[in-house]
Amino acid sequence: DAGVIQSPRHEVTEMGQEVTLRCKPISGHNSLFWYRQTMMRGLELLIYFNNNVPIDDSGMPEDRFSAKMPNASFSTLKIQPSEPRDSAVYFCASSLAGVDTQYFGPGTRLTVL
Amino acid sequence: QKEVEQDPGPLSVPEGAIVSLNCTYSNSAFQYFMWYRQYSRKGPELLMYTYSSGNKEDGRFTAQVDKSSKYISLFIRDSQPSDSATYLCAIRKNQGGKLIFGQGTELSVKP
């Protein structure tokens, strides 16, 4: 069974460029989470969706970040324009709503030069 | 003050040692407590889950919650090199609510 799929696995871009990260949750899961992990701040929740609807986006750092979930099998996290301080590993996770086990993807390692 | 505090380590122990990993949290409203394990260059995976106070055991792993002290622990018995990873505690107030993670403790078990 495929787990959570994220692409790309690595992204190197220059400051000011648009970055789009993609996630395919586990089939049948109806909650999807975007996290960011850095050495300084650890693992932080950016936004989560239930049934494709954003529920809590209080962790989105600023307007440069946006996330969408157009259907149950796909989500994107976009950063525009990107800045060096956005460099981090971005994880997507999915779960069944109301169930505590979240399944994480392998992450996208983003470097903004 | 952070809602959950965890010593980032690193922690290095010999194979076979008992490992104790800990977190403290600030809000007594938290009821759900989890431990995730994260291998290098991988996503976290759920290791242990506890609701409210008490102990839970799973093989070599024991999770302990002391709500009166706002303190959670993970014990690993007979530690193995394959246990080398970063261990993150996670807490939440309500079922289905937002998970808040600790900083993670990096553990290395030397053969």
Side-chain angles (χ1 to χ4, degrees):
Chain A
D1 227 3
V4 174
I5 298 172
Q6 290 187 247
S7 65
R9 293 293 308 276
H10 301 272
E11 176 83 27
V12 180
T13 191
E14 293 191 348
M15 184 173 65
Q17 297 297 305
E18 178 179 297
V19 174
T20 300
L21 311 181
R22 297 173 176 80
C23 176
K24 178 178 168 56
I26 292 172
S27 177
H29 283 187
N30 50 4
S31 290
L32 183 138
F33 308 82
W34 281 102
Y35 290 89
R36 178 172 66 176
Q37 187 174 41
T38 61
M39 290 292 290
M40 289 295 294
R41 300 175 67 91
L43 191 63
E44 302 174 283
L45 178 67
L46 300 176
I47 185 170
Y48 78 94
F49 296 84
N50 274 355
N51 296 316
N52 313 339
V53 176
I55 302 300
D56 184 346
D57 65 355
S58 59
M60 296 285 260
E62 46 198 277
D63 291 346
R64 298 185 297 107
F65 286 69
S66 62
K68 292 183 180 179
M69 192 163 186
N71 57 61
S73 58
F74 184 67
S75 177
T76 59
L77 178 68
K78 186 176 291 189
I79 308 172
Q80 165 65 16
S82 57
E83 295 183 4
R85 60 193 168 118
D86 301 330
S87 297
V89 182
Y90 290 82
F91 288 102
C92 174
S94 71
S95 74
L96 287 169
V99 175
D100 283 309
T101 304
Q102 293 184 18
Y103 295 85
F104 282 76
T108 295
R109 186 170 295 271
L110 173 65
T111 303
V112 183
L113 302 174
Chain B
Q1 183 189 6
K2 287 185 181 178
E3 291 188 280
V4 59
E5 300 269 6
Q6 184 177 9
D7 185 342
L11 180 63
S12 182
V13 301
E15 183 176 353
I18 296 174
V19 176
S20 172
L21 304 168
N22 310 292
C23 289
T24 58
Y25 61 96
S26 58
N27 191 330
S28 58
F30 290 112
Q31 298 188 75
Y32 298 86
F33 307 93
M34 282 144 272
W35 285 94
Y36 278 77
R37 179 175 60 195
Q38 185 178 18
Y39 290 114
S40 180
R41 306 261 172 179
K42 303 283 188 185
E45 56 179 347
L46 182 65
L47 188 61
M48 298 286 283
Y49 167 86
T50 321
Y51 170 70
S52 195
S53 279
N55 291 1
K56 184 172 183 178
E57 193 172 314
D58 184 0
R60 296 184 295 109
F61 298 88
T62 300
Q64 194 172 76
V65 176
D66 181 349
K67 290 193 75 179
S68 61
S69 304
K70 302 191 189 70
Y71 196 82
I72 59 175
S73 302
L74 177 70
F75 298 97
I76 308 174
R77 289 184 301 281
D78 187 24
S79 56
Q80 303 295 308
S82 58
D83 296 328
S84 298
T86 296
Y87 291 80
L88 302 104
C89 61
I91 56 177
R92 69 161 31 127
K93 290 179 186 174
N94 310 307
Q95 192 172 30
K98 193 163 90 169
L99 265 183
I100 300 168
F101 283 86
Q103 193 81 356
T105 300
E106 185 182 346
L107 172 67
S108 177
V109 182
K110 303 293 187 188

